[in-house]
Amino acid sequence: MSVFPPIALKPKVYDYMKNTFMNAELLAAVGLEAAEERFQRLLSCLSHPPAFTCVRASTHLAPLEEIRHRLGEELRKQRCGQHMCGSEDEEVTILSHPHIPDVLLLPVIGPRSVKQLGSEVVVGALCGSAVLRGAHVFAPGILATPKFMKAGDTVSVFSDLEGKCTRGSKNFQGKRVFLGNGLAGLDRSSIFCTNEPVKGLGIQMVEPLYQSPSFDGVLPSLVFLQNLPSVVVGHVLGPRPGERILDMCAAPGGKTCHIAALMGGQGEVVALDKIRSKVERIRQNAKTLHLDCIRAHCFNSVQAVSGDPARETEGPPFPPESFDRVLLDAPCSGLGQRPSMACSWGLKEVCSYQPLQRKLFHTAVQLLRRGGVLVYSTCTVTLAENEEQVAWALKTFPCLTLQPQVIGWKHTHTHIYTDACTHFDFDVSQEPHIGAEGMMGAGLSPDQRRLLQRFSPELSWAGPPPVALPSRADTDTIGFFIAKFQKS
């Protein structure tokens, strides 16, 4: 159900996006009306949260059912701590994904019927998006409060859509949307009238418009919040124990840690990112998840190929053909992220990623050994950063061929920090191809498009949601794209 306005885009970005979804090849296949309808559905669904919260379970540390049970207990305690015991929402539904063996799904309840109050707090757009996915409001995200707000007051929370609310305002009347009601955790003076950096819980959401659990501090070594397509990427890459794998643009490390977990901690995962603080976050995530096969380096992946093929070093740059598998989860325009009610970028910024992605692609192909696997992914919906990049790569690198996106290896009952024996089975029966095929418009053949995965949430908004909840979880996701290549 659409309760928010469609995502707000600058006029040139709107036209660019519209041309993508109404390109000549697509129009010839489906017609003007269907193409226009799909584009408008995309704009609407991007401003709303996905239908499910996806959690990646650390099955390298404990069996899935044990993690599911412990997560249910923790979330029930959380609800009681928020004085929600006995409410109609008390029971927490946690589903296992029928095809992805380390995924747990929690249905998002909403939009709920919540009455707006007279006392209003305004938060920034990023904070508002987090609230729609289950987060509480922390003090730095608050822009405006009532003049005499005290800790314990019940307030309505709104998100500033256009970034026009001045920090410290008392009565903002600009464009905004209602997110739900909460309890103030701080006085107004503690938020705005201080020279120290403001910290702490600002608003505890007790009546959110969309109900999702908060995962702050919940089983940090056993569950990791991650969008479903991002989990699928790790399985498509198909890491095997003992391999050396490169994650080129790794921060914050969710996919890096998933790769290491799928290998049972046996092998080496090299993670690169050019921002030092983000590299520290990768290391911290690896430590939390008990994964000691990860080597994180602060380095620009564009320059990661060594000019000396005989150079031997643990860190970058690396000799050509140093890795069995390479993940290029490329920097992108991020226009598939949900919920996102407004994009402040201009057309120049949106279009700036394609050249960078191609530079990274050149590096990836050089660092990949012959017979190795390269997976390219983005969290955007543009043709230029997805299918057009695939068409360009196939033309530029004759050594690359598109591959089916199947799970190559699966691990069972792996506990890497106990004495249990890690056991791996080769299994090609599971295909994590749960996204749609690639979009028309880049000159790819139908067979080539079928080998791609484009997660297109607008398709799930075309009619009534599927009866089977996991089926809806596969379609009502963020916008995402995955391509898998092999180097001959």
Side-chain angles (χ1 to χ4, degrees), residues 271-321:
L272 301 182
D273 200 276
K274 63 181 182 179
I275 300 177
R276 190 165 300 279
S277 61
K278 292 185 176 181
V279 173
E280 287 304 315
R281 189 173 176 191
I282 296 171
R283 291 171 179 154
Q284 184 56 54
N285 280 331
K287 182 179 179 181
T288 300
L289 296 170
H290 301 279
L291 296 163
D292 59 8
C293 67
I294 293 171
R295 309 286 179 262
H297 303 278
C298 184
F299 199 82
N300 185 347
S301 284
V302 172
Q303 303 166 347
V305 182
S306 172
D308 180 7
R311 185 177 188 268
E312 293 186 9
T313 178
E314 289 187 2
F318 305 102
E321 301 191 357

Side-chain angles (χ1 to χ4, degrees), residues 149-470:
M149 187 182 80
K150 298 293 183 184
D153 287 355
T154 304
V155 295
S156 284
V157 178
F158 293 80
S159 179
D160 173 21
L161 284 185
E162 299 178 314
K164 293 184 178 180
C165 182
T166 303
R167 182 171 172 79
S169 297
K170 300 181 181 70
N171 186 19
F172 176 66
Q173 297 299 321
K175 196 172 182 181
R176 59 199 184 150
V177 294
F178 176 59
L179 306 177
N181 299 328
L183 294 175
L186 297 169
D187 298 346
R188 175 185 168 86
S189 59
S190 300
I191 300 172
F192 300 122
C193 303
T194 176
N195 294 324
E196 300 295 324
V198 60
K199 298 179 181 179
L201 182 63
I203 309 290
Q204 179 180 323
M205 299 300 298
V206 294
E207 286 187 300
L209 198 63
Y210 283 85
Q211 178 77 57
S212 300
S214 170
F215 281 82
D216 185 32
V218 175
L219 301 179
S221 66
L222 292 181
V223 296
F224 192 93
L225 274 179
Q226 197 166 11
N227 288 301
L228 181 63
S230 296
V231 181
V232 171
V233 166
H235 288 289
V236 169
L237 185 66
R240 302 179 183 180
E243 291 184 331
R244 192 181 193 210
I245 297 178
L246 175 63
D247 187 351
M248 295 182 67
C249 306
K255 297 181 186 69
T256 308
C257 292
H258 189 205
I259 293 167
L262 289 173
M263 297 165 68
Q266 299 180 27
E268 182 184 13
V269 183
V270 176
L272 301 182
D273 200 276
K274 63 181 182 179
I275 300 177
R276 190 165 300 279
S277 61
K278 292 185 176 181
V279 173
E280 287 304 315
R281 189 173 176 191
I282 296 171
R283 291 171 179 154
Q284 184 56 54
N285 280 331
K287 182 179 179 181
T288 300
L289 296 170
H290 301 279
L291 296 163
D292 59 8
C293 67
I294 293 171
R295 309 286 179 262
H297 303 278
C298 184
F299 199 82
N300 185 347
S301 284
V302 172
Q303 303 166 347
V305 182
S306 172
D308 180 7
R311 185 177 188 268
E312 293 186 9
T313 178
E314 289 187 2
F318 305 102
E321 301 191 357
S322 292
F323 295 93
D324 299 295
R325 297 173 196 265
V326 175
L327 172 60
L328 174 51
D329 185 53
C332 68
S333 57
L335 290 169
Q337 293 289 2
R338 299 173 60 194
S340 177
M341 296 185 186
C343 175
S344 60
W345 285 5
L347 183 59
K348 183 178 179 181
E349 292 170 294
V350 170
C351 294
S352 67
Y353 287 94
Q354 190 189 64
L356 172 60
Q357 291 159 356
R358 293 187 176 184
K359 289 179 182 178
L360 291 165
F361 225 112
H362 275 281
T363 300
V365 174
Q366 291 180 73
L367 289 176
L368 183 64
R369 69 165 177 82
R370 296 175 188 179
V373 169
L374 165 62
V375 169
Y376 172 80
S377 61
T378 73
C379 59
T380 195
V381 296
T382 71
L383 198 64
E385 296 171 81
N386 295 328
E387 288 85 357
E388 284 185 12
Q389 295 293 55
V390 171
W392 166 83
L394 293 173
K395 181 179 179 180
T396 305
F397 307 105
C399 60
L400 294 184
T401 54
L402 280 174
Q403 297 295 304
Q405 299 189 24
V406 301
I407 297 178
W409 289 81
K410 67 175 181 178
H411 63 85
T412 57
H413 306 297
T414 303
H415 308 285
I416 65 173
Y417 69 114
T418 71
D419 293 330
C421 178
T422 302
H423 177 63
F424 290 86
D425 296 319
F426 190 67
D427 178 9
V428 294
S429 64
Q430 299 186 67
E431 297 191 14
H433 200 117
I434 57 180
E437 65 181 33
M439 195 165 71
M440 296 178 178
L444 297 171
S445 70
D447 286 343
Q448 289 173 325
R449 291 200 309 272
R450 279 191 286 269
L451 291 173
L452 307 175
Q453 283 199 82
R454 174 181 272 263
F455 287 82
S456 303
E458 72 277 5
L459 299 180
S460 71
W461 282 42
V467 175
L469 293 180

Side-chain angles (χ1 to χ4, degrees), residues 137-154:
V137 177
F138 287 86
I142 297 176
L143 301 177
T145 74
K147 184 176 181 180
F148 300 108
M149 187 182 80
K150 298 293 183 184
D153 287 355
T154 304

